Each structure stands twice: as structure tokens, then as C-alpha cells.
Amino acid sequence: MSLLKINGLTQQFGGLTAVSDFSTEFQGNELMGLIGPNGAGKTTVFNIVSGFYKPTQGKILFEEKPINGLKPHRVTAMGIARTFQNIRLWHDMSLLDNILISQHYNLGYNLFDLFVRNRRYIENEKRMRNIAMQLLEQLDLVQFMDEKPKNLPYGIQRKIEIARALSVKPSLLLLDEPAAGLNSSDVQELIKLIGWIHKEFKISIWMIEHQMAVVMSLCSWIQVIDFGKTIAQGTPEQIQNNPAVIKAYLGDDQI
Ligand SMILES: Nc1ncnc2c1ncn2[C@@H]1O[C@H](COP(=O)(O)OP(=O)(O)O)[C@@H](O)[C@H]1O
Ligand SMILES: [Mg+2]
């Protein structure tokens, strides 16, 4: 059984084909990279997989079940969590509340339970809080739990976003340019963190990233797209030496 199987995915925006006949497969527990020049269609692939866009064409199976066109919260509930290229956090809530709120589609209680504050409500709130606190400890964020994200450094905000994604216990984690905007020491820390998450949580990670040091040191398999089309895939070493990839990044005259 494969974890995620994408076949012939195409996304058109008016006359623009942002993603064209894209296919990939995760067996489970891989750490794969999706790279390509700006505007190649990488984020669009993630937006489709996470339910933000309904693809023009193609098939997406998650744990053998079709997920095309499902709403984002349904996709998350099935086990796919993501972070965004531009960090998206609730900046006026505490760090802890940012993590709690993301678990709320996972509630396990209904409005009635909430209204009467019965045992089911109390137990679920406790369970969610325990999950959140454990993550904050694991990601070394406890000291910031009462702070608002907007008052914290960018590197910490990235970590909060990752913690929030993990709080829903995904089996597939999508990271869209996690190193964007980080300084070099934060990037080193991020590399360690992602590697650790992959081992500790035994989940599949699919990462879009521009910083080659991050992709090359973490990913065992890399897929390269340009103008929505896959132009190469392989191990980091194969990708680094692939003429089509070098051309897509640097242009003809560099070869
Ligand atoms: N919602 C949208 N409507 C119209 N065009 C879009 C939309 N989202 C992305 N695009 C276009 O699709 C192309 C791919 O974008 P994107 O997936 O964000 O690229 P990447 O993440 O690889 O930089 C770009 O030309 C972008 O302008
Ligand atoms: Mg992008």
C-alpha cells in the first residue's frame, strides 16, 4: 500500500498551466524534496494535495483513498499537515493557543458537550493540551508558550508552525520552503530539526526548498519541476549532476 500516490496532476489557471501531468508516490517514511525555479508550480502542487485547490485533472490517492477536491480540514484530518511559504500563524494568540486551535477539527466532542462542559469535553481538552505540551517540550518551545508569535524571532515562528502541523499527528508532513528567511545558524538548526522529526515521528516528509544545502542533506529523493513539468528525479547526487536541472536553474550559457 502506498501512502500517497499522485497521477497525472494538472492545474490550469485561465490560460496558464501551473502544473502539468505531475506524478509521484510515497510508500511511507520517506523524506523527499520538490525543487525548481520560482514559479515552477511547487506550491501549487502542495495547495492541491492539501485541499486548497481543486485540480483541473489528475488523481490523488492518500492511503488508497481519493482526496481530490476534499476541503483542507478534511485532508488534514486524514493525516496530511502542512506549513506555508509565508508563515501563517494567529499572531494575537499565544503560542500554545496556536497549537490548540489547529487540533479543533479533531475534537472528539460536539457543541452540546462544549455547552454543558461534560466529561467528554474536559477529557478532550486535556488530551489536546497534553499533545500540545509534549510537542512544545520536544521542540524546545516551552519557554515561549505564553508569547504571541509576532513577538518572537522568525526562526522560532517557523518552529511553531512546524509544531502546529505536527500536533494533528500527520502521517505526511508538507513543508513549503521551511528555510526561507532564516539566517545561516537557524538553517543549520532547521536541518537538524527536520531530520529529527523524520526519525522520531516516523512520518513521511515532503519538502519544497530553495536552499540546496537543506535539500541535499536531508532528502533521499528529489523531484525537479520547471514550468509545471517534471524535468528530473533522483538522488541528491544525480540531481546535482543533471544537465537539465543545471540548465533550469542557471540558463543555457552556464553549461
Ligand atoms: N491562485 C492562482 N491563480 C492564478 N495563478 C496562480 C495561482 N497560484 C499560482 N499561480 C501561478 O502558477 C504558477 C506557479 O506558481 P507556484 O506554484 O506558486 O510556483 P512555485 O511555488 O514553484 O514558485 C505561477 O506562474 C503563479 O503565478
Ligand atoms: Mg512556492
Side-chain angles (χ1 to χ4, degrees):
M1 185 173 117
S2 62
L3 180 68
L4 177 75
K5 194 169 179 164
I6 299 180
N7 241 317
L9 197 65
T10 295
Q11 179 78 57
Q12 274 157 348
F13 297 114
L16 174 85
T17 305
V19 174
S20 173
D21 198 21
F22 178 89
S23 300
T24 196
E25 188 168 354
F26 280 79
Q27 297 302 329
N29 207 23
E30 299 101 321
L31 210 169
M32 298 217 283
L34 180 61
I35 68 170
N38 268 329
K42 306 178 297 294
T43 297
T44 302
V45 170
F46 276 17
N47 281 339
I48 299 168
V49 173
S50 51
F52 288 86
Y53 295 162
K54 195 167 185 252
T56 314
Q57 248 177 29
K59 227 178 168 175
I60 313 170
L61 296 175
F62 185 68
E63 291 171 337
E64 321 270 283
K65 293 183 278 288
I67 60 166
N68 301 43
L70 287 188
K71 292 268 182 305
H73 70 276
R74 297 278 313 279
V75 175
T76 316
M78 287 179 77
I80 302 180
R82 72 173 291 184
T83 66
F84 295 88
Q85 193 168 341
N86 305 303
I87 296 175
R88 291 191 193 176
L89 290 167
W90 304 92
H91 279 286
D92 284 311
M93 281 183 187
S94 72
L95 190 172
L96 180 61
D97 285 339
N98 264 275
I99 294 180
L100 289 174
I101 202 170
S102 70
Q103 296 181 62
H104 273 191
Y105 57 85
N106 231 346
L107 279 179
Y109 61 77
N110 58 33
L111 266 182
F112 174 77
D113 300 327
L114 173 71
F115 187 64
V116 300
R117 308 226 156 207
N118 62 13
R119 215 174 80 199
R120 186 157 52 194
Y121 168 80
I122 292 164
E123 277 171 5
N124 269 290
E125 283 292 316
K126 209 167 124 192
R127 179 180 59 81
M128 291 192 289
R129 210 186 145 87
N130 286 342
I131 293 172
M133 285 309 298
Q134 192 187 357
L135 270 167
L136 295 189
E137 271 162 35
Q138 286 171 314
L139 272 65
D140 206 12
L141 289 168
V142 176
Q143 54 185 312
F144 306 117
M145 65 185 257
D146 296 321
E147 304 264 1
K148 291 174 178 167
K150 65 179 177 194
N151 299 326
L152 294 167
Y154 205 68
I156 302 291
Q157 293 187 25
R158 277 280 173 211
K159 257 173 121 173
I160 299 170
E161 219 197 5
I162 293 172
R164 182 176 64 182
L166 288 172
S167 74
V168 303
K169 302 203 173 283
S171 39
L172 174 64
L173 175 64
L174 312 178
L175 301 173
D176 193 347
E177 295 197 32
L182 299 188
N183 64 38
S184 56
S185 80
D186 282 348
V187 170
Q188 289 315 310
E189 222 187 285
L190 181 81
I191 294 174
K192 276 193 224 143
L193 177 68
I194 295 172
W196 177 82
I197 288 169
H198 183 231
K199 278 209 196 82
E200 180 73 17
F201 294 85
K202 298 185 176 62
I203 55 178
S204 287
I205 299 180
W206 197 9
M207 180 168 64
I208 295 173
E209 186 47 62
H210 269 296
Q211 298 204 27
M212 286 305 134
V214 180
V215 186
M216 297 299 165
S217 63
L218 282 168
C219 300
S220 54
W221 190 258
I222 298 166
Q223 188 166 3
V224 191
I225 59 175
D226 191 19
F227 296 108
K229 291 203 177 80
T230 298
I231 57 166
Q233 46 190 320
T235 62
E237 197 174 34
Q238 288 165 340
I239 293 304
Q240 275 166 325
N241 299 313
N242 184 305
V245 176
I246 298 168
K247 184 175 160 195
Y249 272 94
L250 303 173
D252 273 322
D253 24 325
Q254 300 289 327
I255 301 199

